[in-house]
Amino acid sequence: MGGHPRRLLAAAGDKVVTHWTAVGTDTVGFMGHSPTGRTATVTGITIHRLAGGLLVEHWDEWDLAGLLQLGIAGPAGADGPGA
Protein backbone atom coordinates (compact mmCIF):
# COMPACT_ATOMS: atom_id res chain seq x y z
CA MET A 1 0.00 0.00 0.00
CA GLY A 2 1.04 3.55 -0.54
CA GLY A 3 1.24 6.40 1.94
CA HIS A 4 -0.97 7.02 4.92
CA PRO A 5 -2.51 10.48 4.64
CA ARG A 6 -3.99 11.50 7.98
CA ARG A 7 -7.63 12.54 7.97
CA LEU A 8 -8.01 13.34 11.69
CA LEU A 9 -5.56 13.68 14.55
CA ALA A 10 -6.69 14.16 18.16
CA ALA A 11 -4.89 14.03 21.50
CA ALA A 12 -6.15 13.72 25.06
CA GLY A 13 -4.14 12.91 28.17
CA ASP A 14 -1.56 10.26 27.30
CA LYS A 15 -3.21 9.13 24.04
CA VAL A 16 -3.06 10.28 20.42
CA VAL A 17 -5.67 9.03 17.95
CA THR A 18 -5.17 9.11 14.18
CA HIS A 19 -7.81 8.29 11.57
CA TRP A 20 -5.98 7.47 8.33
CA THR A 21 -6.49 6.32 4.76
CA ALA A 22 -4.05 4.20 2.76
CA VAL A 23 -4.33 3.89 -1.02
CA GLY A 24 -2.21 1.55 -3.09
CA THR A 25 -2.05 -0.54 -6.23
CA ASP A 26 -1.34 -4.27 -6.08
CA THR A 27 1.77 -4.54 -8.26
CA VAL A 28 3.65 -7.32 -6.45
CA GLY A 29 0.90 -9.67 -5.24
CA PHE A 30 -0.74 -10.00 -1.85
CA MET A 31 -1.25 -12.97 0.48
CA GLY A 32 0.29 -15.37 -2.06
CA HIS A 33 -1.82 -14.18 -5.00
CA SER A 34 -0.41 -12.88 -8.27
CA PRO A 35 -0.52 -9.10 -8.77
CA THR A 36 -3.96 -7.87 -9.79
CA GLY A 37 -3.05 -4.32 -10.86
CA ARG A 38 -6.11 -3.14 -8.93
CA THR A 39 -6.15 -0.20 -6.53
CA ALA A 40 -7.49 -0.54 -2.99
CA THR A 41 -8.36 2.02 -0.33
CA VAL A 42 -8.18 1.00 3.32
CA THR A 43 -9.08 3.21 6.27
CA GLY A 44 -8.17 2.73 9.89
CA ILE A 45 -7.72 4.18 13.34
CA THR A 46 -4.48 4.04 15.32
CA ILE A 47 -4.26 4.88 19.02
CA HIS A 48 -0.85 5.58 20.57
CA ARG A 49 -0.19 5.79 24.31
CA LEU A 50 2.75 7.89 25.44
CA ALA A 51 4.63 7.79 28.76
CA GLY A 52 7.76 9.73 29.66
CA GLY A 53 7.94 11.16 26.15
CA LEU A 54 8.05 7.66 24.62
CA LEU A 55 5.56 5.61 22.63
CA VAL A 56 4.76 2.69 24.96
CA GLU A 57 1.67 1.11 23.35
CA HIS A 58 -0.37 1.27 20.18
CA TRP A 59 -3.55 -0.26 18.83
CA ASP A 60 -4.69 -0.44 15.20
CA GLU A 61 -8.10 -1.10 13.67
CA TRP A 62 -8.25 -1.47 9.88
CA ASP A 63 -11.19 -1.68 7.50
CA LEU A 64 -9.81 -4.81 5.88
CA ALA A 65 -12.91 -5.06 3.70
CA GLY A 66 -11.17 -2.43 1.58
CA LEU A 67 -8.74 -5.15 0.50
CA LEU A 68 -11.64 -6.91 -1.24
CA GLN A 69 -11.15 -4.25 -3.93
CA LEU A 70 -8.11 -6.30 -5.00
CA GLY A 71 -10.41 -9.13 -6.05
CA ILE A 72 -9.07 -11.67 -3.56
CA ALA A 73 -10.88 -13.05 -0.52
CA GLY A 74 -8.12 -14.83 1.39
CA PRO A 75 -4.68 -16.38 1.25
CA ALA A 76 -3.79 -18.27 -1.92
CA GLY A 77 -4.46 -21.98 -1.52
CA ALA A 78 -6.89 -21.50 1.39
CA ASP A 79 -10.12 -23.44 1.47
CA GLY A 80 -13.31 -21.45 1.04
CA PRO A 81 -14.38 -18.42 -0.99
CA GLY A 82 -11.68 -16.87 -3.11
CA ALA A 83 -9.48 -19.95 -2.97
Side-chain angles (χ1 to χ4, degrees):
M1 290 291 184
H4 296 273
R6 289 185 294 269
R7 295 175 60 188
L8 173 68
L9 184 66
D14 63 348
K15 294 185 181 66
V16 177
V17 179
T18 306
H19 181 237
W20 51 266
T21 300
V23 179
T25 301
D26 179 17
T27 60
V28 295
F30 185 74
M31 295 177 64
H33 291 273
S34 297
T36 64
R38 294 181 180 171
T39 299
T41 302
V42 178
T43 60
I45 295 174
T46 300
I47 302 171
H48 292 103
R49 188 174 72 82
L50 307 170
L54 300 173
L55 172 64
V56 295
E57 289 184 274
H58 82 274
W59 303 271
D60 290 303
E61 287 290 330
W62 294 33
D63 172 21
L64 294 179
L67 292 178
L68 294 176
Q69 298 168 37
L70 297 178
I72 60 174
D79 294 327

